Amino acid sequence: MDKTGCTLFLAALVALLSGCGSGSGAPAAATPPPTSAPVTPTTPTGEADTSGARGALLFNPPPLEQSLDPAGLAKALGRLGTAGAQILTAAGQPKCSIDFHHFEYSTVGAAGETTMASGSLMVPNGADPACNGKRPVLMYGHGSSVVRNVRLGDLTPGAPYAETSATAAALYAAQGYIVIAPNYAGYDTSTLGYHPHQVAEQQAKDMVDALTAARKAFAKLPHPVAENGKLFLTGHSEGGYVMMATHRAMQAAGISVTAAAPMSGRYAESASYEATLGSAGGQRGLSQLYGTAMLEFPLQFTAWQKAYGNLYAAPTELYQAGFAASMETLAPTLVPIATLIASGKLPPHLLANDMPGYASLPAAEQAAYGTPAQSLLKSSYVAALLDDIAAHPCPATSAIAPLDCASRHPMRNAWFKNDLRTWVPTAPVLMCGGHGDAKVPFFNTTLTQAYFNAHGVASGLVTVLDVDTPVQANDPYAGAKNLFAEAKRLVVAANGDPADPANYHTYMAFAGCNVAARDFFKTYQ
């Protein structure tokens, strides 16, 4: 591996592994994870299914956490500041009251081990015709997080994904959808000690199990609900990836999906790595190595190791000896990243100065590397990975056979295994994103569209929307594009950088694409 590969690997891998989060939904600088304690589940009552079978609802009915009438929801959104006001404007006045239930269900981890996960069940009710009778079901997926206490349905300002919860509630539950919003295995009250981040097979099983379990509660809720036979899937960032994987799995299993709208997801998983590592276009500021980005490496690597068991025979093959023992249990966490580094549980550097080509790097770039004792990854492992990329090129950007790869490296094989270009949808799909997204590049959407087209998807079945484009005459997505533009204006007015991924991906594209998904689903209600 030459010095160029060494330099660009450092910047590009950071961009890739920090490219899945969907933060608060408001323009703000990244902040460390909160130190709040794990959420204590409400004491449940009712029937308990302890069989451990996939899709078992652990408590039926699931406990009610709060109920908000339309005025109460509007007040809750108001407490979220600018983001809440935008959500309310985009959604329109709430029609329905919402019961927020915390539910827990049996599922599996990446290795197929029995575990449990939790989620929020947002149930509409009220006198408006949209709020009663048989209702459509919508599943909502959140973005990735190194913070463990993700609990959708919590609208408390500052709570992880409060704005995501508010978006699902205001755009969907308050308009009459039964919303199922899983937290994913490894978060909240889940007993799994890691999160199977972008392990497509496991995450699809998790969502199917959440749907199975939630349906068992419908008839026993304080305000019972019934389905009208329509199922919608949507989510942003990791949630977009999860819902694409879920749609694929449901189609294969014969579960009817009415329409899906994955947003800003890394569907072309292998292209995100193959086309970015070692390319100038993949460079990101070396400052990205510090803060939450560092913890995203063990989050992803542990998920792949648990799923396939072959990234390493022992953690010391991948991680420096001083940190290897704790890497598989470190993320997600409740401890701030700065505290983990200060306490010696996480190093301040990703790569070590024994990387091939290090001595030839400019001094400014050398500063990003540490000694082996101050770094996370073993240089020998990284060098072998880049050598495999050079020795065995793969057609990751091909529209015909993007996964036709002769790779011999287990980590590289893991990202090919989780590329979602293996199927063709038979239900309507909207893929929304923005072409300026540096966290999840828009080529994930265009390459996936190209694969679908090359493999015979029905004409007009898949719609691709770049929300960062001008409004056209009779534009069905004018509202989404205008909201994106307004979010950008607010970022600039606050002296923020609209190209910063924390603003573009997490706030601007999140806002515009959520409205686009809502408008897309209206066609199929």
Side-chain angles (χ1 to χ4, degrees), residues 394-414:
C394 297
T397 59
S398 166
I400 303 298
L403 310 187
D404 185 11
C405 182
S407 167
R408 294 179 173 84
H409 197 283
M411 183 178 287
R412 196 176 177 210
N413 289 336

